[in-house]
Amino acid sequence: SALLPPRARTATGERERQAPAQGTMAEAMEVDQGIDESLYSRQLYVMGREGQARMAMSDVLIVGMNGLGVEIAKNVILAGVKSVTVNDTAPTTYMDLSSQFYLSEEVLSQPRAEASVDQLSSLNPYVKVSVDQSDLTPDFLGKFQCIVMVNQPIAAQLEVNDFCHAHGKQFIATETAGVFGYTFCDFGESFVVTDTNGEPSSSCVVTSITQANPALVTVLDGERHNLESGDTVVFDGLDGMEELHGREYVVRVKDGYSFEIDVDSTGFSPYRTGGYVNQVKKPVTVAFKSLRQALVDPGEFLVSDFGKLEQPGVLHQAFRALHEWRATHGGDSPAPGEDGPATDVVSLAKSLNSAAGEGEFKVKDEVMDRHEKVFQALAKTAAGVINPMCALLGGVAGEEGLKAGS
């Protein structure tokens, strides 16, 4: 049975367009890991050959080809995934022309995915680019490793995310609504991160190691170790306390120039001079929440503006209310600038917030009252899709897609 209700297909049905011989090139990258260093030279410095090779075996589905969807597609195609499939039966309108740079008046009324695929295909001959207007059934979704939903109804997001979370697929949902937007990621319950920060491994000159339990290590003044508690290190070149050579240690940071290691060094030979401590990066397994869980319990917010500490929680409830409003109005956003729908969204947000159960996310009532203008601004501008927001969120969501594949 279909995961989502069947949708009307376009007259052309399913079809695929691609640059000459790109399927052959994509297969060669997968089998031989033959990475074109002249094309991907800058990425190789960041991701490494192993990460680039893994990404070249990733199949990505992007549902929604508005201005934000095409930005994401452009970014992942240029980065060099194995394939990108676009899915969107919505007809091109004049509203799309303000942000979707592959659409024009000549393709008005044509499905946005069909009208964009030729130009997307020309971006990278190593990536297989196609359009597939199939319904989002389990069999169809199962073909892809990463599924990106762009400006889709919340009911569709929830159903697709439920499938992805249960079957080990990476899921990204993103939306731009006027000057507001969000990106949600669920990479499953056991997603392995090989590099948690993307920074070079730390390496410092050792100046002292105590004979104690645990041993305290100090590095050269003016050379911060840049380690975090839980990191793993090894030693080499020590003069004295050579017993530390040849094994790994977990650190507990004391300050920027010293840390403890999980060893009793009281019986070791005294440290005399020299040597290095080198960080060893270890894979970390991360468990992601599903979308259903995150809606009622989003966890800690990443604060980007310390002058607006309350804003992330307010916006979370604001988008929940906007989704609720759309669900009862045929999926459409409120008309731009209309006061009535904006008042409804404010009421919905306060109602959702008040109904939060034990252990669920809730914003203080006085905070909700203080930010009514935020809810109104979102409702009055949500119908707009503007290019700068598409570029910003397209970069964020595209990068998350590359993380999912690499």
Side-chain angles (χ1 to χ4, degrees), residues 65 85 89 118 120-121 174 192 221 239 243 267 299 305 360 378:
M65 273 288 105
T85 301
T89 59
D118 281 341
L120 288 171
S121 297
T174 186
V192 177
D221 284 347
D239 183 2
E243 294 90 340
D305 186 345
E360 295 183 351
L378 173 61

Side-chain angles (χ1 to χ4, degrees), residues 231-385:
D231 285 346
T232 303
V233 296
V234 295
F235 295 89
D236 67 74
L238 299 176
D239 183 2
M241 209 170 281
E242 289 90 350
E243 294 90 340
L244 293 177
H245 290 161
R247 57 164 288 194
E248 298 177 347
Y249 303 91
V250 177
V251 310
R252 185 160 68 94
V253 172
K254 304 297 288 184
D255 58 40
Y257 303 95
S258 64
F259 55 87
E260 294 176 340
I261 56 175
D262 59 336
V263 68
D264 180 359
S265 63
T266 52
F268 293 178
S269 60
Y271 170 80
R272 289 188 290 273
T273 186
Y276 293 88
V277 56
N278 302 307
Q279 181 185 10
V280 179
K281 291 200 172 185
K282 294 286 189 178
V284 176
T285 300
V286 179
F288 285 76
K289 292 182 179 180
S290 70
L291 181 57
R292 289 187 191 275
Q293 294 172 310
L295 284 174
V296 296
D297 182 21
E300 183 180 357
F301 290 107
L302 176 65
V303 178
S304 57
D305 186 345
F306 288 95
K308 299 178 180 178
L309 293 174
E310 299 169 340
Q311 204 88 328
V314 169
L315 288 174
H316 180 78
Q317 300 296 58
F319 268 106
R320 289 184 66 194
L322 180 62
H323 286 309
E324 289 280 341
W325 193 95
R326 287 170 173 164
T328 58
H329 292 78
D332 295 327
S333 293
E338 291 289 332
D339 290 330
T343 302
D344 293 342
V345 170
V346 173
S347 298
L348 277 171
K350 291 184 176 181
S351 177
L352 285 168
N353 193 64
S354 299
E358 184 177 354
E360 295 183 351
F361 177 72
K362 184 176 182 179
V363 177
K364 293 180 180 179
D365 290 339
E366 58 268 26
V367 175
M368 296 287 287
D369 293 338
R370 193 159 56 241
H371 289 84
E372 278 195 11
K373 288 185 178 180
V374 174
F375 299 112
Q376 293 177 351
L378 173 61
K380 291 181 178 181
T381 63
V385 179

Side-chain angles (χ1 to χ4, degrees), residues 195-227:
D195 188 344
T196 58
N197 59 17
E199 299 295 329
S201 298
S202 175
S203 181
C204 299
V205 177
V206 177
T207 58
S208 75
I209 307 175
T210 62
Q211 290 175 295
N213 184 19
L216 179 67
V217 180
T218 304
V219 300
L220 192 67
D221 284 347
E223 186 179 356
R224 300 179 70 90
H225 54 63
N226 295 321
L227 297 171

